[in-house]
């Protein structure tokens, strides 16, 4: 009979044993929210602040060993297309709290665009025709990139992570465009948003 | 000679001692560095034209189930788009897991880098176009693709594709030189394997 630490190894009825799965770096939780796209009217309208995705994922340390937890946030391909003078884009917010709940979120990343074509002066009402489009490929970033370190969870402790994506405009052109609305565009495509949590055992 | 113990998954016990098998440790099992062979000036491309192509494969001979993730690292990308054109670089991938897997040709979806700076409507004639160019540079970007579990004696096959396209309006100016460019540079694929929680 071998003397083993039951917190680190699992013994099976046939007498064999193996390292417990919580003794290795591994993915412990994942959640994905499907992508979304939308169009806004190009003339008239007001500033936008529209919630597109919310992803919430939680993990409870169900092992007998302390665990250090970190997260990765994967944003699918995204695209912002705006007519002249409108400025805005997709803003990503992250939040993490210890325990189970609804963490407050703060802005961490943006993808946007904005442009104008020569028009100004006292009689420079409205604007000329112009469409700017900015597309960004799928990208993975750290959850909470501004904070240092990973989250330490004692056995039985929980962590909740939340990621929001909003379409936010800084300025929305509402006057008429030279030649009318034909061919103009104000739209977005926001790909899938995925949050993965990983855990690493800590031996004190 | 050491004592042989009765061990289960991810462990080994033989005359050299008792320890963890290779499959217990997260590690790189295959990788590829792929470069673009189409960088530079481009012409009209209503259908995507391949810039970078490559694949990864790995056979699980560890004796234990493995979770496989592919890490895709892409270089900074550059496009130049002349009014009224759109220039985009697509990224796409596909994979298959099983016995003798063969991933299908990747389908272009909405994973795109690029843009447009359009100051004339589609109806404007070639000799009446205004002059406007968009220069867009993007950072190095990475993403992770989860392939799921590869059982012992099974394999995975992963295919990657980067392609340039000029969707939508394309009018070539006659009164000045037109410049449309796309640079995809390189992509590195890394396949990582790690143990599966049973």
């Amino acid at each position: 009979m071998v003397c083993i630490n039951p917190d680190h190894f699992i013994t099976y009825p046939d007498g064999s044993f193996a390292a417990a799965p919580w003794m290795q770096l591994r993915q412990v939780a994942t959640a994905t929210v499907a992508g979304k796209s939308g169009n806004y009217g190009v003339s008239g309208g007001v500033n936008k602040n529209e919630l597109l995705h919310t992803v919430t994922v939680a993990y409870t340390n169900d092992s007998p060993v302390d665990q250090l937890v970190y997260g990765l946030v994967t944003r699918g391909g995204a695209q912002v297309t705006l007519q002249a003078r409108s400025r805005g884009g997709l803003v990503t917010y992250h939040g993490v709290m210890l325990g189970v709940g609804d963490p407050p979120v703060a802005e961490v990343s943006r993808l946007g665009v904005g442009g104008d074509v020569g028009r100004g002066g006292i009689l420079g009402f409205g604007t000329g025709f112009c469409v700017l489009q900015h597309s960004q490929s799928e990208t993975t970033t750290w959850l909470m990139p501004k904070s240092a370190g990973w989250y330490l969870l004692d056995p039985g402790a929980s962590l909740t992570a939340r990621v929001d994506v909003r379409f936010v405009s800084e300025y929305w052109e509402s006057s008429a465009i030279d030649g009318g609305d034909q061919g103009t565009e104000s739209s977005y495509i926001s790909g899938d948003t995925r949050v993965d949590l990983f855990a690493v055992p800590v031996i004190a | 000679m050491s004592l042989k113990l009765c061990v289960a998954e991810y462990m080994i016990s033989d005359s050299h001692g008792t320890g963890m098998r290779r499959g217990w440790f997260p590690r790189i099992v295959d990788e590829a560095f792929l470069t673009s062979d189409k960088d530079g000036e481009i012409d009209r491309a209503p259908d995507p034209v391949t810039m970078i192509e490559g694949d990864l494969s790995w056979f699980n001979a560890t004796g234990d189930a493995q979770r496989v993730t592919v890490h895709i690292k892409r270089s900074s990308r550059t496009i130049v788009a002349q009014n009224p054109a759109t220039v985009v670089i697509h990224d796409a991938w596909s994979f298959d897991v099983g016995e003798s897997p063969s991933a299908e040709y990747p389908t272009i979806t909405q994973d795109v880098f690029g843009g447009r700076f359009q100051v004339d409507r589609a109806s404007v004639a070639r000799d009446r176009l205004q002059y406007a160019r968009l220069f867009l540079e993007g950072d190095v970007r990475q993403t992770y693709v989860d392939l799921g579990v590869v059982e012992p004696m099974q394999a995975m096959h992963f295919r990657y594709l980067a392609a340039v396209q000029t969707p939508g309006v394309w009018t070539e100016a006659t009164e000045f030189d037109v410049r449309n460019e796309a640079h995809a540079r390189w992509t590195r694929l890394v396949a990582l394997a790690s143990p599966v929680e049973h």
Side-chain angles (χ1 to χ4, degrees):
Chain A
M1 187 60 199
V2 196
C3 191
I4 59 169
N5 183 339
D7 285 353
H8 299 173
F9 292 92
I10 291 173
T11 315
Y12 294 105
D14 65 358
S16 68
F17 70 96
W22 57 79
M23 294 307 290
Q24 181 57 277
L25 164 69
R26 70 224 178 272
Q27 188 186 54
V28 291
T30 183
T32 307
V33 168
K36 217 172 178 179
S37 62
N39 274 285
Y40 294 111
V42 284
S43 62
V46 293
N47 259 333
K48 314 295 179 212
N49 188 347
E50 188 188 348
L51 180 64
L52 306 180
H53 319 245
T54 295
V55 190
T56 308
V57 62
Y59 165 65
T60 301
N61 180 5
D62 51 6
S63 81
V65 178
D66 289 357
Q67 300 281 335
L68 274 173
V69 177
Y70 70 91
L72 294 177
V73 177
T74 301
R75 290 272 301 123
Q79 178 174 308
V80 177
T81 308
L82 290 175
Q83 64 140 317
R85 282 195 190 160
S86 290
R87 298 189 302 272
L90 301 164
V91 184
T92 307
Y93 302 76
H94 293 184
V96 168
M97 68 181 283
L98 293 176
V100 178
D102 194 15
V105 292
E107 179 181 331
V108 298
S109 188
R110 284 183 184 208
L111 168 76
V113 77
D116 203 350
V117 284
R119 233 352 158 73
I122 298 167
L123 294 175
F125 298 123
T127 182
F129 172 85
C130 160
V131 176
L132 262 157
Q133 175 192 321
H134 186 183
S135 302
Q136 174 188 263
S137 33
E138 180 171 314
T139 181
T140 299
T141 50
W142 286 87
L143 178 68
M144 300 294 281
K146 287 184 276 195
S147 59
W150 296 357
Y151 303 91
L152 181 64
L153 295 190
D154 299 334
S158 302
L159 172 144
T160 309
R162 177 176 154 187
V163 173
D164 284 5
V165 179
R166 285 173 177 272
F167 184 90
V168 179
S169 70
E170 205 175 40
Y171 178 80
W172 201 260
E173 175 65 21
S174 57
S175 61
I177 303 163
D178 288 358
D181 286 353
Q182 186 237 325
T184 63
E185 193 180 338
S186 290
S187 65
Y188 66 84
I189 298 172
S190 175
D192 295 0
T193 303
R194 185 175 96 221
V195 184
D196 296 308
L197 296 180
F198 299 83
V200 183
V202 186
I203 298 175
Chain B
M1 176 141 161
S2 84
L3 183 63
K4 262 213 232 180
L5 302 171
C6 188
V7 292
E9 69 268 15
Y10 303 114
M11 293 190 71
I12 190 163
S13 185
D14 60 14
S15 54
H16 299 293
T18 299
M20 307 313 298
R21 262 206 282 218
R22 215 169 12 140
W24 174 252
F25 302 100
R27 68 212 181 282
I28 294 172
V29 292
D30 193 18
E31 63 180 314
F33 185 77
L34 310 168
T35 51
S36 169
D37 50 13
K38 278 272 192 309
D39 282 5
E41 289 219 27
I42 56 159
D43 206 348
R44 184 176 197 179
D47 295 320
V49 176
T50 302
M51 303 181 88
I52 305 177
E53 203 175 11
D55 61 352
L56 290 181
S57 59
W58 177 66
F59 176 75
N60 182 3
T62 65
D64 292 308
Q66 297 279 288
R67 181 170 198 134
V68 178
T69 302
V70 174
H71 185 186
I72 303 174
K73 295 191 253 190
R74 291 164 286 189
S75 73
S76 71
R77 300 259 158 100
T78 306
I79 62 110
V80 181
Q82 179 98 35
N83 169 55
T86 307
V87 178
V88 294
I89 299 171
H90 292 271
D91 275 281
W93 53 81
S94 60
F95 62 85
D96 189 21
V97 173
E99 279 177 40
S100 311
S102 175
E104 287 178 14
Y105 192 74
T107 309
I108 300 295
T109 52
Q110 191 47 52
D111 187 357
V112 166
F113 168 82
R116 105 178 104 132
F117 181 26
Q118 187 184 355
V119 296
D120 284 312
R121 291 186 169 86
S123 51
V124 173
R126 306 176 67 172
D127 58 344
R128 305 297 297 267
L129 285 176
Q130 300 177 78
Y131 184 91
R133 272 179 192 167
L134 172 68
F135 296 81
L136 192 65
E137 311 258 3
D139 249 333
V140 167
R141 280 187 221 287
Q142 56 174 343
T143 189
Y144 293 86
V145 183
D146 186 4
L147 271 52
V149 174
V150 180
E151 298 291 342
M153 306 305 284
Q154 290 197 348
M156 69 84 173
H157 182 218
F158 182 92
R159 285 179 76 164
Y160 170 86
L161 172 77
V164 62
Q165 189 192 10
T166 61
V169 186
W170 179 280
T171 314
E172 203 149 328
T174 50
E175 307 305 301
F176 46 80
D177 283 339
V178 172
R179 184 175 162 195
N180 287 287
E181 285 183 28
H183 301 263
R185 300 190 182 91
W186 52 263
T187 296
R188 183 180 277 286
L189 304 177
V190 180
L192 303 153
S194 54
V196 181
E197 195 166 334
H198 282 295

